[in-house]
Amino acid sequence: EDQVTQSPEALRLQEGESSSLNCSYTVSGLRGLFWYRQDPGKGPEFLFTLYSAGEEKEKERLKATLTKKESFLHITAPKPEDSATYLCALGGYQKVTFGTGTKLQVIP
Amino acid sequence: KAGVTQTPRYLIKTRGQQVTLSCSPISGHRSVSWYQQTPGQGLQFLFEYFSETQRNKGNFPGRFSGRQFSNSRSEMNVSTLELGDSALYLCASSSGGTGGAYTQYFGPGTRLTVL
């Protein structure tokens, strides 16, 4: 069975303090690894799709990387507006499985 | 391009009633998936439709059902509502078929409260 685990569950950073969120996974056949951002009471907002180990994608202060067992979302010099829950999702042969998310709080 | 839309945005029902939620995907997208999100369980997959056919189903009781129309719009229905059905119901659309290779784009969700 496809499994995805995100860590930490919650992360509190000072503005400008860079860090990384982790997404560990097991899958019989990876078809895609997705990152989303979700604000309270809203639908997840798409950030990145990664398809193969070694792939990297960047958008503003965010950079997503992928290995055969993990994906990382690196946040460089975060700002308070980056505060949100970040979801990792694993695309297998049949369906997409979501992790429970990392709740990020960036303090001014 | 307009995003995924869901109606209604908020709904309050009582136990035993039934409810129908609607989702309009991004234009050109043929796949629609439904998820239930609760604070304790996170995002749980309900089912996926592609070209009017249910291609995949999650581990939910038969009270949860759905359908997709020829214009790709989708509805989900929950019968005999229980208190535990209170959740944010999210619809997501993608351009591809079943499986996890295609990026899903989410709507704003329908907040269902069961009293």
Side-chain angles (χ1 to χ4, degrees):
Chain A
E1 185 179 339
D2 299 346
Q3 291 191 335
V4 57
T5 303
Q6 290 190 249
S7 61
E9 289 186 10
L11 183 62
R12 195 175 185 194
L13 299 173
Q14 291 292 325
E15 184 173 0
E17 180 187 2
S18 301
S19 188
S20 296
L21 313 183
N22 177 265
C23 173
S24 299
Y25 65 88
T26 56
V27 65
S28 54
L30 178 67
R31 303 197 68 191
L33 190 292
F34 310 93
W35 283 98
Y36 291 86
R37 168 198 169 121
Q38 187 175 27
D39 293 301
K42 297 187 176 181
E45 175 191 346
F46 169 70
L47 294 174
F48 304 108
T49 302
L50 302 168
Y51 290 107
S52 58
E55 191 175 358
E56 300 182 351
K57 288 192 176 173
E58 284 188 73
K59 179 182 177 181
E60 295 180 357
R61 295 177 294 281
L62 300 176
K63 179 180 177 180
T65 62
L66 182 66
T67 73
K68 290 186 178 180
K69 295 182 178 180
E70 296 175 304
S71 180
F72 293 93
L73 185 65
H74 307 278
I75 303 177
T76 302
K79 298 181 178 182
E81 53 261 42
D82 295 322
S83 296
T85 295
Y86 291 85
L87 298 169
C88 165
L90 178 65
Y93 280 121
Q94 293 294 324
K95 65 176 184 176
V96 177
T97 303
F98 278 81
T100 52
T102 293
K103 186 173 183 179
L104 174 66
Q105 184 182 16
V106 182
I107 311 298
Chain B
K1 224 176 195 182
V4 178
T5 58
Q6 293 186 244
T7 56
R9 293 293 313 280
Y10 302 92
L11 209 47
I12 298 175
K13 293 285 187 179
T14 57
R15 281 182 298 172
Q17 288 187 309
Q18 74 166 22
V19 66
T20 299
L21 312 182
S22 181
C23 171
S24 292
I26 292 171
S27 178
H29 283 191
R30 297 166 65 189
S31 173
V32 173
S33 296
W34 288 90
Y35 294 86
Q36 181 194 67
Q37 187 175 35
T38 58
Q41 297 295 319
L43 267 159
Q44 300 292 310
F45 173 73
L46 281 157
F47 27 66
E48 179 191 8
Y49 287 88
F50 181 78
S51 294
E52 302 179 67
T53 301
Q54 187 182 92
R55 292 296 190 92
N56 208 352
K57 191 176 189 303
N59 295 323
F60 278 82
R63 300 185 297 107
F64 292 82
S65 63
R67 59 178 175 169
Q68 187 180 33
F69 302 96
S70 58
N71 61 0
S72 293
R73 190 177 70 86
S74 178
E75 290 181 346
M76 67 163 282
N77 183 276
V78 188
S79 62
T80 319
L81 283 167
E82 300 177 358
L83 295 178
D85 296 334
S86 294
L88 181 67
Y89 289 88
L90 292 160
C91 166
S93 76
S94 72
S95 59
T98 55
Y102 301 94
T103 299
Q104 295 181 330
Y105 298 89
F106 284 83
T110 294
R111 171 70 64 185
L112 172 64
T113 301
V114 182
L115 303 176

